[in-house]
Amino acid sequence: MGPIALKGGLGTVAVVLVISLLTGTNPLVLLEQMQGQSGQVTTEEQGNYQASPEEEELSQFVRTVLADTEDVWHDLLKDYREPTLVMFTGAVQSACGNASASTGPFYCSEDEKVYIDLSFYEELKSRFEAPGDFAQAYVIAHEVGHHVQHLMGITDKVHASRERMSEEEFNKLSVKLELQADFFAGVWANHANEMSKIIQAGDIDEALNAASAIGDDRIQQQTQGQVVPDSFTHGTSEQRMRWFKKGYETGDISQGDTFNARAL
Ligand SMILES: [Zn+2]
């Protein structure tokens, strides 16, 4: 299972992501470092925030899914380095900039942390009409997919090429990056199900529904701090569903080279 080769296709571009800067007051930040074996979790809390019972339940769920992704990716990638999970409400600071809850979930390659905004899940249910545990799991698996891209050196290649590209070209590249993260989420679903039969009837539909409904880390960020709505950079609903499904059906990371695919 070698890394995905990136030949050509990365000629130019730039993008980057964005984040709205909100100065949150007293945010809840749970910094959770999964250490070694799944299930061992160290939690740091910043501030005096009292999590609600719903938030406690949700954060337990998020930790469980993250542990599942670690089982799978350790299996698929030699020397897999686990990301740190940060759950927050309100606002949070990352090495990629400040984020507010309106940012949605995101991954920051600078600090190798997956940022999950707990309030996003309510939005997923109500605003995006994508309810269900597996829809939530898909969101986490997609962000972990970005971490995998970072470990494979793909993220750096994309970012390094942005200076040579027009914004339009870079957006196309960004779409490929997002679709590949969807693909990796599908690969995770395939292997997680093989390991522990986690998938029940309707689960894949939930994930596909979420994939089509949301623009993932709806805003990503970049070091420049310029805000770019990610609706331009995530691919169509159909594309997102197709790549997730391809990952789920093949379970084979070598099938996920969105950068050289003839059609997305
Ligand atoms: Zn994404």
Side-chain angles (χ1 to χ4, degrees):
M1 307 262 188
I4 291 167
L6 286 178
K7 294 169 287 189
L10 292 182
T12 21
V13 178
V15 157
V16 173
L17 310 192
V18 174
I19 277 202
S20 59
L21 297 184
L22 290 202
T23 53
T25 51
N26 200 18
L28 160 68
V29 179
L30 296 172
L31 183 60
E32 321 239 10
Q33 171 91 54
M34 306 295 294
Q35 296 176 321
Q37 300 297 313
S38 301
Q40 296 180 329
V41 180
T42 308
T43 302
E44 280 175 33
E45 292 193 37
Q46 301 171 7
N48 301 316
Y49 187 90
Q50 255 329 96
S52 69
E54 291 79 18
E55 285 168 340
E56 290 289 358
E57 192 183 329
L58 194 49
S59 74
Q60 186 55 48
F61 174 80
V62 172
R63 279 194 295 263
T64 302
V65 173
L66 187 80
D68 270 359
T69 67
E70 289 168 349
D71 290 344
V72 167
W73 286 110
H74 274 301
D75 215 40
L76 295 179
L77 295 181
K78 214 162 73 96
D79 303 326
Y80 180 68
R81 193 163 64 237
E82 299 174 357
T84 298
L85 172 66
V86 179
M87 287 183 275
F88 70 100
T89 61
V92 69
Q93 289 185 318
S94 80
C96 296
N98 297 324
S100 70
S102 63
T103 305
F106 66 100
Y107 172 73
C108 174
S109 60
E110 302 287 316
D111 56 20
E112 300 192 348
K113 291 177 184 173
V114 171
Y115 292 85
I116 299 293
D117 159 27
L118 292 176
S119 63
F120 178 74
Y121 284 120
E122 189 49 44
E123 205 180 355
L124 193 61
K125 227 187 297 180
S126 51
R127 178 166 159 209
F128 295 104
E129 296 179 348
D133 282 1
F134 210 77
Q136 299 176 349
Y138 153 77
V139 170
I140 298 160
H142 172 97
E143 299 308 336
V144 171
H146 283 311
H147 176 63
V148 169
Q149 290 174 315
H150 165 65
L151 295 181
M152 288 177 163
I154 295 168
T155 313
D156 279 354
K157 274 185 191 164
V158 168
H159 286 173
S161 63
R162 69 181 288 268
E163 284 170 14
R164 304 191 299 273
M165 294 184 178
S166 67
E167 190 175 330
E168 196 186 348
E169 284 175 312
F170 185 78
N171 284 348
K172 282 183 191 159
L173 201 54
S174 179
V175 165
K176 292 175 179 182
L177 200 62
E178 291 303 325
L179 294 177
Q180 190 178 57
D182 287 332
F183 172 84
F184 285 153
V187 168
W188 163 76
N190 172 298
H191 289 271
N193 195 42
E194 249 173 42
M195 284 176 175
S196 42
K197 299 281 170 252
I198 58 163
I199 297 189
Q200 301 165 344
D203 278 350
I204 294 303
D205 286 343
E206 280 179 9
L208 291 174
N209 185 32
S212 76
I214 66 174
D216 121 69
D217 15 47
R218 294 168 308 146
I219 299 172
Q220 268 198 33
Q221 77 110 51
Q222 199 185 40
T223 41
Q224 265 88 7
Q226 175 194 8
V227 175
V228 178
D230 81 335
S231 53
F232 299 110
T233 54
H234 282 77
T236 65
S237 296
E238 194 205 347
Q239 289 170 334
R240 303 200 69 180
M241 289 170 65
R242 188 184 314 136
W243 283 95
F244 175 85
K245 215 167 173 175
K246 190 177 181 188
Y248 176 64
E249 284 170 1
T250 66
D252 176 4
I253 56 176
S254 72
Q255 306 273 318
D257 188 357
T258 54
F259 296 91
N260 291 296
R262 202 168 296 169
L264 292 175

